[in-house]
Amino acid sequence: MDLSKDRIRVLLIDSVHSKIDAKDFFEKNLNSGELLNILIEFAVDDYSGDARMEAAYWISRFETILLKNVEKDLLRIQEDELDSIACHILVALGKIKSKEGLKFLIEKRIEPEMYWESRALKYYFSDIL
């Protein structure tokens, strides 16, 4: 499997545009820790916004066991200013039931828009936050 950054970038951009072979490539490799690490690099920083966004999407599709191994990276990426990246990472953190991810979600994403709802959620989850 060719995991060069140039090839992965092309596949990510093709996947955004619904090209079947690109989507098939990612679907078939959702168990590859090596690919997951490359996708994290793209989500953190790449000149192609499409590649960053699609990397975040595919990260959210990986199995829980692999996502747990990269939780620290996901916690950093969830703070991305682009919602098209952060939203997928929030889903990935939800899949692994990340306590820090939940805290961030409530305090930084929900509370600014829905203060009372965030307060209620903090009570609901007070035993784990």
Side-chain angles (χ1 to χ4, degrees):
M1 164 172 55
D2 178 10
L3 293 177
S4 70
K5 285 192 86 170
D6 290 335
R7 178 164 188 263
I8 299 301
R9 183 180 295 108
V10 168
L11 288 168
L12 287 167
I13 293 167
D14 284 350
S15 178
V16 167
H17 299 289
S18 300
K19 293 197 177 173
I20 300 299
D21 11 339
K23 288 183 177 278
D24 284 348
F25 171 83
F26 291 110
E27 287 285 346
K28 290 177 184 170
N29 291 291
L30 290 174
N31 61 348
S32 168
E34 188 178 359
L35 177 59
L36 177 58
N37 288 326
I38 292 168
L39 293 177
I40 287 170
E41 288 179 39
F42 274 99
V44 169
D45 184 39
D46 193 69
Y47 63 82
S48 168
D50 283 353
R52 289 186 70 218
M53 176 185 64
E54 197 70 357
Y57 167 74
W58 285 109
I59 289 168
S60 75
R61 301 282 312 278
F62 273 77
E63 293 296 320
T64 304
I65 191 130
L66 289 172
L67 292 173
K68 284 183 179 182
N69 293 331
V70 296
E71 182 177 4
K72 288 181 183 176
D73 294 313
L74 299 176
L75 290 169
R76 282 184 315 175
I77 301 168
Q78 77 178 343
E79 297 182 35
D80 198 280
E81 63 186 29
L82 296 176
D83 281 344
S84 60
I85 293 165
C87 66
H88 298 298
I89 301 305
L90 292 171
V91 170
L93 287 164
K95 283 176 75 172
I96 64 171
K97 297 178 181 18
S98 169
K99 291 176 186 175
E100 288 301 313
L102 176 60
K103 185 177 177 183
F104 178 88
L105 179 63
I106 292 171
E107 292 178 356
K108 304 295 184 195
R109 303 289 293 217
I110 296 172
E111 190 172 308
E113 300 297 322
M114 300 184 302
Y115 175 77
W116 292 108
E117 291 85 344
S118 73
R119 264 202 71 193
L121 287 171
K122 286 179 182 179
Y123 283 115
Y124 276 110
F125 296 113
S126 62
D127 58 327
I128 61 171
L129 293 177

